Amino acid sequence: MTRRRLIIDCDPGHDDFAAIALAVTSGVFEIEAITAVCGNAPLPRTAANALAIADALGTSIPVYAGAVAPLLHRYDFPAAFHGVTGLDSAGATLPPPRRPLAPGHAALEIAARVNAAPGEITLAVVGPMTNVALALALDPDIASKVRELVFMGGGIVGGNVTARAEFNIWADPEAAAIVLNSGIKTTMFGLDVTNRAFIDTDDLKRLRAAVPAPNPVADIIQFYSERSGDIAAGRVPGPALHDTCPIAWLIDPTLFQTESLSVTVETAPGPGYGATDADRRTWAPDHLPRIDVALELDRPRLARLVTDALVEAARRIADRR
Ligand code: RIB
Ligand code: CA
């Protein structure tokens, strides 16, 4: 079976780490590049984390640094959730990478790779969309050459940074508007499903038992779990690994149910800044650009797939020590 050619654009980020581990260990992707963007932490940190993850998993995937800042929005980085490094751990950390970042800017690399392989490259975007928006601004024609784009971001039912806006979109709504209006075949995994994409206590125990200490994968996920408001409130038993959803869908589309909707991003200043609004009227005009939006998921099967990937990642990291 030919592997799906994939670029992962991310802001590691604990759930970005889980998404990369899922993609790498699944065996179904030819991961052409990992591109980093500012988001959960400043760009130097997210790029360093992406490189450490790719290297610790034993891959030679090139990692490129991208946008240092969103197109317009400026905000304080959410260290409360991901720590000052962007990938803080409750104990052991990933080993330092044995190679440097690849030269060149992520946006230029995305455009160059898509142009070199029209119709071949899938973009998985699990952070703010600044790099992809920049690539589209540099070369708008790539919109017709991207095989498809899957992303974690937004939410029809509401937000997490504000009542209406989810972090990845809120961090750079103007970039998201550029990407969602580009005409690229797009599938959205918003909070509608990702808030329910949690692994449970049995999954966490299985991860903890995967390898003898040190187990940096378990410790990193534990840090993230200890900062989950939903766990603290007793709403879920374990951490929601938002960014794994688009990758899991590429691996097994039966894990989710999607609906074709017209989705707009609010870029006007105010309480709705960064919100993703879906037109769910059955008589909605057909001329508006539509994307596929995931609205339901098979959580137990998703959790099993993600936990299997995290266990395999823990084993690969242990074997490289
Ligand atoms: O809202 C969840 C998103 O924000 C995830 O991508 C997480 O990594 C953070 O960036
Ligand atoms: Ca992310």
Side-chain angles (χ1 to χ4, degrees):
M1 177 184 78
T2 54
R3 293 184 171 203
R4 180 187 281 259
R5 300 178 65 177
L6 183 70
I7 293 175
I8 302 173
D9 189 74
C10 55
D11 62 335
H14 292 71
D15 55 331
D16 305 71
F17 174 28
I20 295 168
L22 177 59
V24 167
T25 60
S26 70
V28 308
F29 300 106
E30 182 61 44
I31 306 174
E32 308 261 337
I34 294 174
T35 52
V37 67
C38 68
N40 286 323
L43 185 277
R45 287 304 326 158
T46 58
N49 293 338
L51 181 62
I53 293 165
D55 203 58
L57 293 171
T59 79
S60 56
I61 302 168
V63 178
Y64 298 86
V68 173
L71 298 183
L72 291 177
H73 191 190
R74 295 297 180 268
Y75 57 88
D76 293 330
F77 294 106
F81 295 103
H82 299 277
V84 290
T85 71
L87 199 62
D88 279 20
S89 172
T93 58
L94 295 179
R98 303 174 189 177
R99 56 189 168 99
L101 288 167
H105 192 285
L108 288 167
E109 195 62 28
I110 289 167
R113 286 176 179 267
V114 169
N115 275 317
E120 295 289 323
I121 306 280
T122 296
L123 300 179
V125 185
V126 294
M129 295 186 165
T130 316
N131 286 338
V132 180
L134 289 171
L136 285 162
L138 287 164
D139 184 351
D141 289 346
I142 64 169
S144 64
K145 300 173 186 172
V146 174
R147 176 176 172 179
E148 68 178 303
L149 184 148
V150 295
F151 75 95
M152 189 279 135
I156 307 306
V157 294
N160 56 8
V161 179
T162 69
R164 294 189 51 208
E166 176 279 329
F167 176 76
N168 285 343
I169 307 301
W170 173 86
D172 198 340
E174 293 78 13
I178 289 169
V179 175
L180 297 195
N181 287 304
S182 67
I184 298 173
K185 178 181 183 297
T186 296
T187 307
M188 167 178 163
F189 297 83
L191 297 176
D192 318 293
V193 289
T194 70
N195 270 343
R196 291 181 274 158
F198 58 84
I199 59 175
D200 64 20
T201 47
D202 288 340
D203 298 322
L204 291 167
K205 285 176 189 160
R206 186 153 72 90
L207 174 56
R208 176 60 66 187
V211 295
N215 185 339
V217 180
D219 288 342
I220 287 167
I221 297 297
Q222 181 182 327
F223 177 94
Y224 183 60
S225 304
E226 289 168 354
R227 279 147 189 82
S228 162
D230 283 341
I231 295 175
R235 282 198 284 270
V236 293
L241 297 174
H242 303 272
D243 292 341
T244 60
C245 289
I247 303 296
W249 181 78
L250 291 174
I251 295 168
D252 180 357
T254 67
L255 287 169
F256 296 87
Q257 292 173 31
T258 64
E259 191 175 325
S260 176
L261 293 170
S262 166
V263 175
T264 54
V265 180
E266 282 205 42
T267 56
Y273 184 68
T276 48
D277 301 321
D279 188 339
R280 302 194 71 177
R281 297 172 297 167
T282 52
W283 59 91
D286 286 339
H287 67 277
L288 296 173
R290 286 171 176 256
I291 64 173
D292 291 325
V293 180
L295 294 175
E296 290 302 332
L297 78 162
D298 182 334
R299 191 211 66 81
R301 278 203 302 134
L302 173 64
R304 190 160 49 249
L305 180 76
V306 170
T307 304
D308 287 349
L310 292 172
V311 165
E312 174 58 21
R315 288 174 179 156
R316 291 190 187 190
I317 292 167
D319 290 346
R320 279 173 59 82
R321 257 199 294 279

